[in-house]
Amino acid sequence: MRRLGIVALALIVVGLLIADLSNTPPNPYQAPDPLAWGSKDGASGAFCSFTGQ
């Protein structure tokens, strides 16, 4: 019974690793702003401390 659990866990870990490596990494320049509060604005790519002066 213990061997079955170890094999099942190993298969799950390998499956998650394959699923993770098969996806393309996210593009941070197309991600929404973390504090956009649902405005659906894309990331501007500007310096985050820019004050506009």
Side-chain angles (χ1 to χ4, degrees):
M1 191 66 170
R2 181 178 286 180
R3 183 175 295 179
L4 178 65
I6 293 171
V7 171
L9 181 63
L11 288 175
I12 290 171
V13 169
V14 169
L16 287 174
L17 184 63
I18 290 171
D20 186 43
L21 292 176
S22 67
N23 291 333
T24 58
N27 186 350
Y29 298 107
Q30 291 180 345
D33 292 330
L35 295 176
W37 299 103
S39 65
K40 298 187 192 236
D41 288 338
S44 63
F47 184 61
C48 62
S49 298
F50 182 67
T51 59
Q53 296 176 355

